[in-house]
Amino acid sequence: MLVASESRPVPVHPLDRPIWGALTTRQQSLAEGGALARRYPPAIAPFADMVDMSPQSFAALGAILSGSEIAVLFTPDAVTAPDEFKILLAETGEQMIGTPAESSLPGIETVTLGVNDVPEMMALTELTKPGPFSARTHELGTFLGIRIDGQLVAMTGERMKPGHYTEMTAVCVHPDHRGRGYAQMLLGAVARQIVSRGEIPFLHVFSNNTSAIGQGMEIRRRLHVTVLQKRI
């Protein structure tokens, strides 16, 4: 991905604009939109981005949003939206990169989750609020879970895939099962499968979620998380 300058294009790290990076590389087949603005299908994720912050790009973003649909942007700089949009949320997040600390728990095994597990996956994310999770989010990559007495109590999976990087996402544990190391175990398992493919794991957490920052990973940079909606 390149950004134009007065003299020559300047390369931009794919993780500086992870959504745009993913939708123009390994996940471009999922992209809705065109040269100026792209998004994932809403049933998969509400994430979107633009090639730049020009009025033309905002217009292109507005053209692919319908009704009350939202666009969640991860950008290196704060977003100033034109009057056609309202900002529903403007926060910052920490982007962490690398392999989390390994963890194993005696007697606990991970299971691969699929389409038949979607109702439970959505119920768990609705309860724990790890971030956007929709009926088709699981299609973005492998999701692993932990079941206790048949109940799905923890899960983590893959989401954005910009270049040779793969994001770990939906890190969530049922409130009744927290403090047992399930999240760390799942992060390690998901990271191992990412590394085995020759890719680099990364993770996003809100800046105020101090308990989730670290996990053996290195903070790469801070990003701005902005939720936009068209004014109707």
Side-chain angles (χ1 to χ4, degrees):
M1 180 167 55
L2 300 176
V3 171
S5 69
E6 293 181 359
S7 55
R8 65 183 184 277
V10 178
V12 173
H13 195 288
L15 292 187
D16 288 345
R17 302 291 291 266
I19 299 169
W20 186 258
L23 292 175
T24 55
T25 59
R26 289 163 59 206
Q27 292 175 323
Q28 60 182 324
S29 63
L30 297 174
E32 296 181 353
L36 297 181
R38 296 187 176 199
R39 71 168 182 176
Y40 289 92
I44 291 181
F47 300 113
D49 200 4
M50 300 167 288
V51 69
D52 55 30
M53 294 292 165
S54 67
Q56 294 83 2
S57 293
F58 272 106
L61 176 63
I64 58 176
L65 295 177
S66 300
S68 61
E69 289 178 343
I70 61 171
V72 180
L73 281 64
F74 286 25
T75 57
D77 301 307
V79 173
T80 301
D83 291 341
E84 306 93 85
F85 292 88
K86 53 185 174 181
I87 296 179
L88 303 182
L89 179 143
E91 300 284 350
T92 61
E94 307 304 319
Q95 184 182 78
M96 302 187 297
I97 190 169
T99 305
E102 287 287 338
S103 175
S104 61
L105 298 170
I108 302 297
E109 297 183 355
T110 63
V111 295
T112 300
L113 303 173
V115 63
N116 292 334
D117 301 296
V118 168
E120 284 184 282
M121 296 167 78
M122 293 188 69
L124 184 59
T125 55
E126 179 62 27
L127 177 66
T128 58
K129 309 293 185 185
F133 193 91
S134 302
R136 293 177 55 201
T137 302
H138 69 284
E139 296 177 17
L140 294 176
T142 301
F143 279 79
L144 302 179
I146 292 174
R147 290 186 176 278
I148 302 296
D149 297 329
Q151 178 189 7
L152 181 65
V153 299
M155 75 170 190
T156 303
E158 303 171 358
R159 190 167 61 183
M160 303 176 202
K161 298 183 176 182
H164 61 284
Y165 298 88
T166 295
E167 180 196 26
M168 298 185 290
T169 187
V171 184
C172 53
V173 179
H174 191 285
D176 293 342
H177 294 267
R178 288 175 181 164
R180 305 181 188 183
Y182 294 164
Q184 193 66 35
M185 180 179 175
L186 286 169
L187 278 171
V190 172
R192 281 196 301 274
Q193 68 183 16
I194 293 171
V195 171
S196 71
R197 301 194 300 259
E199 302 156 16
I200 300 173
F202 71 104
L203 178 69
H204 292 120
V205 299
F206 280 112
S207 299
N208 59 9
N209 187 4
T210 55
S211 64
I213 296 174
Q215 307 291 348
M217 303 177 74
E218 174 187 350
I219 296 177
R220 177 182 173 271
R221 68 162 304 150
R222 176 166 289 184
L223 291 175
H224 291 265
V225 182
T226 309
V227 180
L228 298 177
Q229 186 180 55
K230 286 197 301 184
R231 297 186 188 277
I232 300 176

